[in-house]
């Protein structure tokens, strides 16, 4: 692969800088990942939850396993991730891997982004199993084209020993070709719902408290999968985790018990209950695909109104702003547009792009509120809610800061929402 296809703005300085940083960091920490069995998970959405499911499943099966994700990292004691970066810079990454390795871990479950792959942050980390969740439009401000974005993701598979691939994703063949370029050796497992992969989900039941389905493989060997996290997308996430379990030789009971034992993932479809008579969910959804999946999960069973709060990050792919607004407007009775890591971009300008999408979906001006202070906007959403309504707070999920023009400010959707609810109830 030509690096120019992956790193826009490539020049003779950028590539050596990333390579040198990675090599020096690896040498400093003595390549700790080489002493671990590494499972790398990449994709647009679902990476974090899939990582947590795999981590929990392996630990429950008696395999000491470390975790590095967007949300947290660690082995037994899970440390919260503060940086707005899924795969941290190479010095931090190697330091954390070293700590995990020294703790006696056998496995490491590593969430890997397209940025990390394009910038060679994971160079030298041996990947035993590469997992692909899905690929939809994101980070095109960086990669410039969807094709480059996909190519960056497939780098995880090129040097992996084995792959787990979502057969329902249109890009699945790109990942298959990366892991098995000769076409002769099948070094991968496929999974899916719509298309019959090596592991197929059937008899799916979606409940407000989780999902329940049967995962059938060749020979009709069947897993009974249940999760405590709702949403059809968690059928895919848990299928991917189950495929990893199958590849590693776990028993059906170990796979089933491990996946079911995961209570929640911070900032992923978290329900907040402080005694109010309406529902509140906080989720990290910030792409069109993630928006759609959230609404697909909650809309069919919702009898009251849906009040949606969201915004868009500055200096990020602005082409999806109106699209996200349109998706939210299609399913919501009221949309409250607010700030979300605006950085040095005008938040009013960002909000207007979202509003245009909401109006395209058919919402009227009195169904769209722009409130650029996020805490005030959350309070407004909660105050607007009546018995039986659902308030969706989207975009930041687990994050601990909000990025404005003058830098980061402490802010957590989960904590702010809990505090405000306690004041209201």
């Amino acid at each position: 692969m030509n690096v120019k296809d992956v790193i826009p703005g490539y020049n003779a300085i950028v590539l050596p800088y990333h390579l040198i940083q990675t090599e020096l960091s690896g040498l400093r920490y003595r390549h700790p990942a080489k002493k671990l069995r590494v499972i790398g998970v990449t994709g647009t959405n679902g990476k974090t939850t899939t990582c947590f499911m795999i981590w929990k499943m392996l630990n429950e099966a008696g395999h000491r396993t470390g975790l590095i994700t967007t949300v947290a990292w660690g082995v037994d004691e899970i440390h919260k991730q503060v940086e707005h970066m899924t795969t941290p810079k190479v010095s931090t990454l190697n330091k954390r891997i070293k700590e995990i390795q020294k703790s006696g871990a056998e496995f490491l479950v590593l969430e890997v982004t397209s940025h990390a792959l394009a910038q060679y942050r994971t160079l030298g980390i041996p990947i035993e199993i590469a997992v692909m969740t899905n690929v939809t439009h994101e980070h095109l401000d960086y990669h410039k084209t969807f094709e480059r974005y996909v190519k960056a993701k497939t780098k995880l598979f090129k040097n992996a020993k084995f792959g787990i691939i979502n057969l329902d994703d249109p890009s699945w063949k790109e990942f298959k070709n990366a892991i098995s370029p000769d076409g002769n050796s099948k070094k991968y497992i496929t999974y899916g719902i719509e298309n019959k992969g090596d592991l197929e989900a059937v008899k799916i039941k979606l409940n407000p408290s989780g999902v329940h389905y049967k995962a059938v493989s060749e020979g009709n060997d069947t897993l009974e999968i249940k999760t405590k996290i709702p949403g059809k997308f968690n059928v895919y996430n848990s299928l991917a985790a189950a495929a990893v379990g199958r590849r590693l030789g776990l028993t059906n009971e170990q796979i089933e018990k491990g996946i079911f034992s995961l209570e929640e993932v911070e900032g992923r479809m978290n329900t907040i209950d402080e005694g109010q008579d309406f529902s509140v969910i906080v989720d990290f959804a910030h792409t069109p695909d993630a928006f759609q999946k959230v609404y697909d999960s909650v809309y069919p069973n919702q009898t009251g109104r849906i009040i949606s709060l969201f915004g868009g990050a500055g200096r990020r792919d602005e082409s999806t702003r109106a699209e996200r607004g349109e998706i939210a407007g299609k399913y919501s009775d009221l949309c409250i547009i607010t700030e979300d890591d605006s950085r040095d971009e005008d938040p009013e300008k960002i909000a207007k792009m979202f509003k245009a999408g909401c109006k395209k979906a058919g919402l009227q001006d009195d169904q769209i509120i722009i409130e650029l202070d996020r805490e005030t906007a959350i309070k407004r959403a909660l105050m607007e809610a009546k018995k039986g309504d659902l308030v969706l707070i989207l975009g930041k999920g687990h994050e601990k800061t909000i990025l404005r023009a003058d830098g980061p400010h402490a802010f957590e959707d989960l904590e702010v929402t809990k505090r405000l609810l306690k004041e209201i109830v």
Side-chain angles (χ1 to χ4, degrees):
M1 182 190 303
N2 190 325
V3 71
K4 294 179 182 179
D5 292 332
V6 179
I7 307 178
Y10 160 80
N11 57 50
I13 296 175
V14 173
L15 177 58
Y17 171 79
H18 288 302
L19 289 173
I20 290 169
Q21 289 292 104
T22 301
E23 290 293 344
L24 288 176
S25 181
L27 289 170
R28 179 183 176 187
Y29 292 99
R30 300 184 180 182
H31 300 286
K34 292 183 178 180
K35 298 176 183 177
L36 294 163
R37 299 176 69 182
V38 183
I39 300 162
V41 180
T42 196
T44 306
N45 299 306
K47 299 187 298 297
T48 301
T49 302
T50 301
C51 282
F52 268 88
M53 286 179 173
I54 297 169
W55 168 76
K56 190 70 172 176
M57 177 182 68
L58 289 174
N59 274 306
E60 289 289 318
H63 298 280
R64 190 169 174 78
T65 303
L67 176 76
I68 299 178
T69 73
T70 304
V71 173
W73 70 278
V75 182
D76 300 313
E77 182 184 355
I78 297 299
H79 310 279
K80 291 185 177 181
Q81 168 81 298
V82 177
E83 301 91 346
H84 282 227
M85 187 181 291
T86 297
T87 312
K89 61 183 181 180
V90 289
S91 57
T92 302
L93 179 61
N94 277 282
K95 182 180 179 182
R96 290 177 180 175
I97 294 175
K98 184 72 173 179
E99 289 185 34
I100 289 169
Q101 179 257 316
K102 286 178 68 177
S103 77
E106 177 187 359
F107 287 95
L108 167 64
V109 184
L110 177 66
E111 186 173 351
V112 186
T113 63
S114 59
H115 285 72
L117 290 163
Q119 295 171 5
Y120 298 95
R121 279 182 241 157
T122 57
L123 186 69
I125 296 177
I127 304 296
E128 179 172 337
I129 300 176
V131 180
M132 170 267 215
T133 59
N134 53 67
V135 186
T136 62
H137 285 252
E138 190 184 28
H139 300 310
L140 299 194
D141 55 301
Y142 180 82
H143 296 284
K144 302 306 180 187
T145 69
F146 183 69
E147 290 71 26
R148 287 176 176 173
Y149 177 51
V150 173
K151 283 184 178 180
K153 291 286 188 187
T154 60
K155 288 182 72 177
L156 182 70
F157 281 65
K158 285 188 177 295
N159 297 312
K161 293 180 180 178
F162 199 82
I164 308 293
I165 302 170
N166 180 357
L167 191 61
D168 290 348
D169 190 275
S171 300
W172 79 272
K173 285 185 179 179
E174 299 282 345
F175 292 84
K176 180 203 74 168
N177 293 336
I179 192 75
S180 295
D182 59 6
N184 298 320
S185 56
K186 190 172 183 293
K187 296 164 51 182
Y188 59 89
I189 293 173
T190 59
Y191 65 94
I193 300 174
E194 308 300 331
N195 296 295
K196 188 175 181 180
D198 299 309
L199 198 59
E200 179 190 11
V202 298
K203 297 184 178 179
I204 298 169
K205 296 178 182 177
L206 304 178
N207 304 307
S209 58
V211 303
H212 181 196
Y213 64 93
K214 295 182 184 296
V216 182
S217 58
E218 191 175 348
N220 289 321
D221 184 14
T222 302
L223 289 160
E224 193 83 19
I225 301 294
K226 296 179 181 179
T227 77
K228 294 177 182 174
I229 311 174
K232 185 178 180 180
F233 46 89
N234 280 310
V235 176
Y236 284 103
N237 296 338
S238 55
L239 263 179
V244 171
R246 278 280 170 85
R247 173 61 184 173
L248 294 174
L250 300 188
T251 66
N252 284 7
E253 183 182 0
Q254 287 173 325
I255 294 170
E256 292 165 355
K257 180 183 176 183
I259 290 172
F260 185 67
S261 64
L262 181 65
E263 298 287 341
E264 67 174 10
V265 178
E266 186 183 16
R268 301 318 192 262
M269 293 298 286
N270 294 159
T271 298
I272 302 179
D273 186 355
E274 296 294 340
Q276 75 276 6
D277 58 4
F278 55 89
S279 301
V280 180
I281 293 176
V282 173
D283 190 79
F284 188 53
H286 61 282
T287 67
D289 181 63
F291 264 47
Q292 187 64 55
K293 285 175 177 174
V294 166
Y295 288 108
D296 285 345
S297 297
V298 301
Y299 188 77
N301 299 315
Q302 180 59 29
T303 55
R305 297 180 306 155
I306 294 179
I307 300 170
S308 299
L309 179 146
F310 52 88
R315 304 303 171 193
R316 293 297 183 265
D317 186 8
E318 65 179 52
S319 66
T320 67
R321 291 171 183 169
E323 184 180 359
R324 280 177 279 167
E326 185 175 359
I327 293 169
K330 179 180 177 181
Y331 297 96
S332 305
D333 299 278
L334 176 65
C335 285
I336 300 178
I337 304 169
T338 188
E339 60 177 330
D340 179 345
D341 294 337
S342 55
R343 296 179 172 86
D344 61 346
E345 191 174 349
D346 181 6
E348 185 74 37
K349 172 191 167 189
I350 296 172
K352 286 179 179 178
M353 292 181 181
F354 279 97
K355 183 175 181 178
C358 291
K359 297 199 78 169
K360 186 176 179 181
L363 291 190
Q364 303 302 308
D365 284 331
D366 61 353
Q367 294 176 288
I368 306 168
I369 297 169
I370 294 179
E371 172 48 70
L372 298 180
D373 179 83
R374 194 170 181 93
E375 180 166 341
T376 304
I378 292 174
K379 186 172 184 178
R380 179 73 181 269
L382 300 176
M383 294 293 290
E384 289 280 348
K386 295 178 173 59
K387 185 176 181 178
D389 288 349
L390 168 63
V391 177
L392 291 174
I393 299 173
L394 306 177
K396 293 191 62 60
H398 65 283
E399 291 179 344
K400 305 296 182 285
T401 60
I402 190 164
L403 305 178
R404 298 179 177 129
D406 59 347
H409 294 254
F411 194 94
E412 295 184 53
D413 275 359
L414 287 164
E415 294 305 315
V416 168
T417 303
K418 288 176 183 177
R419 171 169 54 79
L420 292 173
L421 273 174
K422 288 175 182 176
E423 294 174 6
I424 293 169
V425 173

